């Protein structure tokens, strides 16, 4: 938490205290300034009274400007009303401040006001109200308003970032709930087919499925998981599918991992699942699936190729899994990934490259 966030949190939790501290700090600054410029010519008591009475006028000016005129009139595009209220409030505050100085503050110092300083002259001498009182009072009010607007803007930005993060997390969870039933539907169909044939591979298939579900349900709750765990997941999935297709299917899975890294979960499973569904899942003789995984410095590369029937329609070659994959990549690795999908000579290829260094900043 940075310094500005600490101040905002303190203001939120201790609103009255923070405002009192602000005005006390301002009073100390004004006293220091008065003492510096007046040196020993003016007693400290007089400076305290003068700066204190200034504060009495500055406080209502600041709150009227920052909490009424700007948010309730100016922000709502009621510009004429804002100008009218500003002029009227400025005039009233400056006039009352001058009355207070002439009839309260100066007599306390032992000074008598001049005969021409009547109520009529006080209320009609606009130039003096502006040059002597307005700038002294509203300079502080404008600073107070600026600080409040800055605080409000920081709160809005923080809230927007929080909402954006929550939205992204919600979308990601939704995408995962779309992926998992899609995967389970295909896998349970495979096991059902094995059970109908009373295949001895049925129990092995259930065991592999159990390990896959353990990974998905209990290890994929975070934004990232270890790549080694994802490799185990892929091996279990590949083994599960190979039990179904026996020797008819050829799967080549090659990995080059110099060091373990962290990656978003289930992305690779979407690609491999697509390769099996649209490669091995169609009657194309002896299907071949090639999978390559490589970690090269700060770059992660993954490529899956599968043979497919050229009679397949374009719609079937662009399944739900890959659509979800694109959405997840946009959420987790925006501007830091490259996803290429191609179909050439009966080979469907999906290539994924992720800049891990930029992706985790």
């Amino acid at each position: 938490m940075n310094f500005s966030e600490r101040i905002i949190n303190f203001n939120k939790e201790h609103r009255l205290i923070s405002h009192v501290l602000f005005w006390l700090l301002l009073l100390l600054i004004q006293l220091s300034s008065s003492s510096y410029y007046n040196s020993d010519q003016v007693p400290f008591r007089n400076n305290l009274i003068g700066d204190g009475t200034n504060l009495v006028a500055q406080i209502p000016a600041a709150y009227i400007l920052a909490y009424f005129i700007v948010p309730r009139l100016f922000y709502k595009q009621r510009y004429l009303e804002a100008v009218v209220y500003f002029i009227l409030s400025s005039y009233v505050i400056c006039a009352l401040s001058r009355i207070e100085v002439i009839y309260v503050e100066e007599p306390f110092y032992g000074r008598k006001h001049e005969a021409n300083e009547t109520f009529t002259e006080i209320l009609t001498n606009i130039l003096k109200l502006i040059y002597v009182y307005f700038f002294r009072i509203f300079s502080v009010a404008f600073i107070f308003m600026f600080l409040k607007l800055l605080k409000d803007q920081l709160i809005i930005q923080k809230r927007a970032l929080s909402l954006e993060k929550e939205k992204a997390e919600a979308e990601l969870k939704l995408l995962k709930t779309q992926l998992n039933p899609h995967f389970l539907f295909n896998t349970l169909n495979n096991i059902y087919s094995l059970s109908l044939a009373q295949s001895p591979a049925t129990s092995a298939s259930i065991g592999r499925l159990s390990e896959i579900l353990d990974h998905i349900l209990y290890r994929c709750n975070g934004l990232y998981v270890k790549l080694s765990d994802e490799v185990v997941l892929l091996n279990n999935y590949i083994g599960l599918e190979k039990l179904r297709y026996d020797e008819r299917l050829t799967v080549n899975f090659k990995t080059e991992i110099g060091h373990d890294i962290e990656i978003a979960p289930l992305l690779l499973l979407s690609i491999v699942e697509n390769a099996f569904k649209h490669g091995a899942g169609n009657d194309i003789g002896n299907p071949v699936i090639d999978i390559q995984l490589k970690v090269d410095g700060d770059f992660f590369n993954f490529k899956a190729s599968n043979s497919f029937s050229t009679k397949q329609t374009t719609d079937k070659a662009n399944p739900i899994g890959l659509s979800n994959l694109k959405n997840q990549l946009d959420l987790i690795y925006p501007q830091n990934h490259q996803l290429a999908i191609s179909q050439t000579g009966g080979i469907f290829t999906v290539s994924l490259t992720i800049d891990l260094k930029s992706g985790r900043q």
Side-chain angles (χ1 to χ4, degrees), residues 201-246:
T202 302
S203 59
S205 300
I206 295 174
R208 288 185 179 275
L209 178 59
S210 176
E211 292 184 15
I212 291 173
L213 291 177
D214 176 73
H215 179 85
I216 293 175
L217 294 175
Y218 300 108
R219 303 182 189 180
C220 296
N221 294 327
L223 190 58
Y224 300 97
V225 296
K226 291 183 179 180
L227 178 60
S228 56
D229 291 337
E230 288 292 290
V231 172
V232 173
L233 172 68
L234 295 182
N235 280 322
N236 279 329
Y237 181 82
I238 292 171
L240 190 62
E241 292 286 28
K242 289 179 71 174
L243 287 173
R244 177 186 177 191
Y245 295 103
D246 296 326

Side-chain angles (χ1 to χ4, degrees), residues 167-307:
K167 180 176 179 291
E169 291 177 351
E171 290 178 353
L172 191 58
K173 289 180 181 179
L174 178 61
L175 291 171
K176 287 181 179 180
T177 59
Q178 291 175 346
L179 169 68
N180 295 345
H182 179 57
F183 160 72
L184 287 175
F185 176 79
N186 292 334
T187 304
L188 289 174
N189 270 346
N190 296 347
I191 296 176
Y192 178 69
S193 299
L194 292 173
S195 65
L196 288 179
Q198 297 183 348
S199 170
T202 302
S203 59
S205 300
I206 295 174
R208 288 185 179 275
L209 178 59
S210 176
E211 292 184 15
I212 291 173
L213 291 177
D214 176 73
H215 179 85
I216 293 175
L217 294 175
Y218 300 108
R219 303 182 189 180
C220 296
N221 294 327
L223 190 58
Y224 300 97
V225 296
K226 291 183 179 180
L227 178 60
S228 56
D229 291 337
E230 288 292 290
V231 172
V232 173
L233 172 68
L234 295 182
N235 280 322
N236 279 329
Y237 181 82
I238 292 171
L240 190 62
E241 292 286 28
K242 289 179 71 174
L243 287 173
R244 177 186 177 191
Y245 295 103
D246 296 326
E247 300 299 327
R248 186 172 68 87
L249 172 66
T250 300
V251 180
N252 301 310
F253 185 20
K254 298 180 180 179
T255 62
E256 294 183 33
I257 305 175
H259 59 283
D260 204 0
I261 61 172
E262 288 189 334
I263 189 173
L266 306 180
L267 296 178
L268 309 182
L269 181 61
S270 298
I271 300 175
V272 173
E273 181 188 7
N274 177 74
F276 275 96
K277 181 179 178 182
H278 297 276
N282 293 280
D283 187 10
I284 56 175
N286 297 312
V288 178
I289 296 176
D290 291 313
I291 304 171
Q292 298 178 12
L293 185 153
K294 183 178 181 181
V295 178
D296 186 9
D298 293 323
F299 289 90
F300 170 78
N301 299 285
F302 187 79
K303 180 179 179 180
S305 302
N306 63 273
S307 53

